[in-house]
Each structure stands twice: as C-alpha cells, then as structure tokens.
Amino acid sequence: MHRRTFLQSAAAVSGLLPLAARPSFAGLYQAAAVATGDLDAVRGDGRPVTLPASAIKDLAASLRGPVLLASSPGYETARRVLNPSIDRRPALIVQPTGTADVRRAVSFASAHGLLLAVKCGGHSFSGMSTCDKGMQIDLSNMRGVRVDPKARRAYVEGGTLLGLVDHEAAAHGMVTPLGTVSHTGVGGLTTGGGFGRLARKFGLAVDNVVGVDVVTADGSVRRGDPTENPDLYWGVRGGGGNFGIVTNFEFQLHPFSGTVTGGEVVFPIDRARDLLRVYAEWSQKAPDEVYVDFVMSQPPGGKGGIALLHVCYCGDNADRDLAVLRTLGTPMANTIKVQRYVDFQKSGDYTDARTMGEYMKSGFTTGISEKLISGIIDGFEPHPARSTGVFTQHSGGAIGRPPVGTCAFPHRHAQHALMAAVSWKVGDDGAPHMAWAKKYWATIEPLTSGFYINEVNDESRAVLNANYRENFPRMVAVKKQYDPTNLFRLNANVQPA
C-alpha cells in the first residue's frame, strides 16, 4: 500500500496518464483468426517452439473471449503490468470470459509446453504476470461478485479487483479482509496470503477463503475446500499461483458497521526516528482493532521528505485506543477521521501506476528493535533522481493465531512486514537505484525472518524454498500432484521434484 504513498510524493517527475479503457471484443476474434503465419514462442524451459497458425485459429475459435496477437487492438494494454520497468511481450494473450475459456487456454499452453503467465490486477513487482514470447492469460474479463448475506458468503470471480468485493459486501453490512488498494487483483493477493487493514481483526484473506474452483495444469477444474481436494485447498491458500488458476473464490463475510477511523498523521522526515520508536512500541501492544503503519518517504531532489503513521481503527473506543497519537506533537497534516471503509480502501489508489519504474525488497519482523531502527534510519539515502521509501504493514493479532500448518502461508510469527522501495522516471537507468536498494536491504535483512511471496523479486531458488519454512515438503508433494511439469512456474515457484 505505502508503495503508493512514496510514489505519489514523486508525481512531479512524471505526469499521470488516464487508465486505458477495456478493449472491446469486436474484431478481436478476427485479429487472431487471420494470423497468416506460424508464431514463434518459447516453452517453460526456455526452448523455442513454433505454434502453427492453424493451432492458433483453432484456439481462437474455441473461446468465447479474445486471443490477442502483437498486432491486435488491446494487446499493448493487456501485456503491461503496473511496474513500467517491466516491458515484456507475450507471443499471444488469452482473455477468458469464464472457467471454460481458462480450461481451454491452460490445455493449449500445456499441450505446447508454453511459458505461461497469469494476470489478474498486474500488481506483481517482478512482472511475473506477463512474459516474453510465452502465453499470458489475462483474467480482466472475469470480474464479478455475488453476496449471500444469509450464509455470509461472497462468491468472487478470479479476475475481480478487491474494490468490487468491498463494495458489494458493504451493501449488506458485511466485509471480508482483503488488501489496501482497491484496484488490486483478488486472485494474486489472496493466493499469496492477503494482508489488509482489517486483517488483525479478521485474519488474512487466505484465512477467510472457504472454497475455491481451480483450473489445474491438465485443464481440469477442481473444487478445493476442507472436504474436497483438501490438499489443493491447503496449497492455494499461501502457495501463490503454483497449483493452478483460481477461477472462483468463496469468502467468509463478517458483520461490519462499514465505517472506520482512519487517515494519517504526517511529520517532516527528521522526525522519522522518534516516530519509528513510538510505532515500534505501540504497534506491538495495540488491540486487534488497531491497524497502524509507519512510512518514511523522500521524493527526488532530497527535499520534502516525510514520516507518517497511517491508521485504520475498526473499534468503538477511538479516543482511548488511538490516544498515543496525541503525544506526538503537532503534525504537518492530520487526516484521521471517521469515514466509510470502502472510501478509505481507495485512498491509496492513483490514476495510473504506469509512470515510474519500481524495485522493492521486503521481509517480516517479530518486532522492531533499536538495532533495526538504526539500520532503517542511518542507512537511508535520498537521491536526486529517485523516490526512496521505507514502510511497514502491521501484522500480528488474528493473523498470528492459526497454526502454521493451517494452510500454505507459513509466516504466522510476523508482527510487521517491512519494505524498502525505490522508484525512478521511466526511461532513466534503474540499475544504480536497484543496486542501492539491494545494498541497503543487505544491512536490514538479517533482522528479518522470511518475506511475503507476493513481493518476491529476484530471490534464489534456495531462498524461495526456505521461505516456505516447515510447509515446504508438503508444498512439493501438492505441486507434484497437480502440476508435475511445472506449467505454473511464474510465481514464487516450488518445483515438483
């Protein structure tokens, strides 16, 4: 979420662009069907493969949704993810309209051994929801929510953005805890874990999934819940995209007033150390109803840096439980107020993310020690050509109560997720900024314990395997059962052998 805060502080380096409209289906079938030649592509193992024009025509004819080639209208928008430093060009893109299309697309990719990327909201830092010369399955035409208020369930299509879930649930006086930016894809968020502003009260997104429909590597659609394919249900909740494409989620809903006390208290960046010390103590002791993040952000040029606390409170005693905020002195700004939760969930959105290159490192903490505070503050270096930010995401509370083996998500020990990020103007060389971020993080990483797989970047296989902790052996077994050829490899990947 606070990636957005420090990016917004750098808006002066690049104008915001309007979001492209969703492409019309008109003419897209024909664009695929009139392919006049064979198509060069790559397999999952990197070897080249040629897709016959006849095979592409057959694929297009079997789908309700479009197949996009490089010359097709809508291709340029579909291939992009929100991190514009990722510039990859799939050989073909399928935009399913339902589970049947997903099954057909997966079967095609499997039959040809294609490198396969799956895109929901496109928020992946590392760009794994797109690829070069493989197939991308873009779920943007599979967005919908149905709420059953009596059963307290929300049925959510796999390409849905979380803002729609918030909106539909709120209309019935209910909520399920998802992320913190309304245009985040529910699929990627949830299968990785799903941290959000209400997670300390109601648990992670994975803790509220009561069933899934998954298209696995053989093109089958399987139900996963506590009694049907329980191993698949276990793995999908925290194993990312390793086991298939979730085309439908069933979420538990909780009665909710619909309002929170939320906003930010903002100070000059020279207050960062003091603020972080207060945060370290308060966040550890706060009741589950309190969600609070620390943010330190410096825009390009070395001036105008800020430190802030971002607060979302879902209880009935705001004066008591947020009293520590009154001890901080007079802020530059204080936006904390009672507001609708669905509005607050949009507060981190911005018009178009595709204006700056980004790189981030992250890790979980079991607390924020004085040594960690010194590492964060003392190593922080502004730069005239980049935005630099450090921020946390409050964990603990209900997040930490389920046993580690409840699902594939293993990091129940986390009290905070800590992130360091840099961004730069598109067209500039990002290498020196990424190098600084890696060097900075190397001084902090020893004080962390594991990391969030939704923020995986360029970690080694050994590091990825170790990050699943004691759940890793079972992850391998589930992977071998449902994806023995590792078709779904563009993720925090677990190999089937």
Side-chain angles (χ1 to χ4, degrees), residues 154-483:
Y155 301 90
V156 180
E157 290 188 64
T160 303
L161 306 184
L162 72 85
L164 181 57
V165 184
D166 290 339
H167 177 76
E168 294 295 330
H172 297 276
M174 295 183 182
V175 75
T176 197
L178 295 173
T180 55
V181 174
S182 73
H183 54 71
T184 303
V186 171
L189 172 89
T190 301
T191 57
F195 288 82
R197 292 185 175 95
L198 301 181
R200 285 174 43 80
K201 178 67 175 177
F202 298 120
L204 295 171
V206 290
D207 299 326
N208 289 272
V209 172
V210 295
V212 287
D213 295 332
V214 186
V215 175
T216 52
D218 61 357
S220 299
V221 57
R222 290 179 166 91
R223 170 71 176 180
D225 60 34
T227 59
E228 189 173 354
N229 298 308
D231 50 352
L232 181 61
Y233 173 64
W234 178 90
V236 164
R237 294 177 301 137
N242 266 293
F243 309 112
I245 300 175
V246 181
T247 57
N248 286 283
F249 292 89
E250 182 180 347
F251 286 101
Q252 177 184 2
L253 295 175
H254 304 269
F256 189 61
S257 70
T259 61
V260 295
T261 301
E264 296 171 346
V265 286
V266 185
F267 294 87
I269 198 168
D270 59 13
R271 287 288 313 278
R273 190 185 302 267
D274 294 340
L275 209 62
L276 187 51
R277 283 174 172 155
V278 172
Y279 174 78
E281 181 177 358
W282 179 35
S283 62
Q284 290 283 98
K285 298 178 180 179
D288 294 355
E289 291 78 9
V290 172
Y291 171 91
V292 56
D293 291 340
F294 168 83
V295 183
M296 176 171 62
S297 173
Q298 182 72 63
K303 296 181 180 180
I306 58 172
L308 63 85
L309 295 182
H310 174 96
V311 175
C312 179
Y313 178 71
C314 62
D316 298 323
N317 294 287
D319 286 345
R320 180 195 68 195
D321 292 337
L322 302 181
V324 67
L325 298 174
R326 296 193 290 271
T327 71
L328 300 176
T330 303
M332 298 167 55
N334 184 345
T335 64
I336 296 176
K337 62 182 180 181
V338 177
Q339 56 184 301
R340 294 197 315 154
Y341 174 70
V342 292
D343 293 335
F344 197 30
Q345 284 285 83
K346 300 174 186 176
S347 63
D349 297 359
Y350 48 95
T351 304
D352 193 333
R354 304 173 191 182
T355 56
M356 302 188 75
E358 305 171 52
Y359 183 82
M360 185 173 75
K361 302 295 286 186
S362 72
F364 293 117
T365 77
T366 54
I368 299 177
S369 65
E370 189 63 31
K371 184 176 182 180
L372 180 55
I373 292 172
S374 295
I376 291 169
I377 302 299
D378 295 342
F380 190 84
E381 294 180 3
H383 189 279
R386 70 164 179 256
S387 290
T388 310
V390 176
F391 43 96
T392 67
Q393 191 149 33
H394 199 184
S395 305
I399 295 170
R401 295 190 184 114
V404 170
T406 300
C407 64
F409 179 84
H411 300 289
R412 301 297 179 173
H413 63 284
Q415 295 297 311
H416 310 88
L418 176 65
M419 289 150 273
V422 292
S423 63
W424 59 91
K425 186 177 180 180
V426 172
D428 289 354
D429 182 8
H433 308 306
M434 290 188 285
W436 176 85
K438 292 176 182 179
K439 180 180 178 182
Y440 176 57
W441 187 252
T443 68
I444 296 172
E445 186 176 18
L447 303 175
T448 66
S449 176
F451 57 89
Y452 188 25
I453 66 165
N454 281 354
E455 288 149 5
V456 66
N457 219 310
D458 46 14
E459 289 77 13
S460 70
R461 179 160 304 284
V463 169
L464 285 174
N465 292 350
N467 191 55
Y468 288 111
R469 301 165 75 93
E470 56 263 59
N471 286 344
F472 179 68
R474 187 175 177 185
M475 294 278 289
V476 173
V478 178
K479 182 74 170 181
K480 288 174 69 175
Q481 180 177 357
Y482 292 103
D483 186 16

Side-chain angles (χ1 to χ4, degrees), residues 5-37:
T5 300
F6 88 87
L7 283 174
Q8 286 171 334
S9 72
V13 304
S14 181
L16 296 178
L17 304 174
L19 284 172
R22 179 187 291 184
S24 168
F25 288 177
L28 296 181
Y29 297 103
Q30 294 89 333
V34 298
T36 57

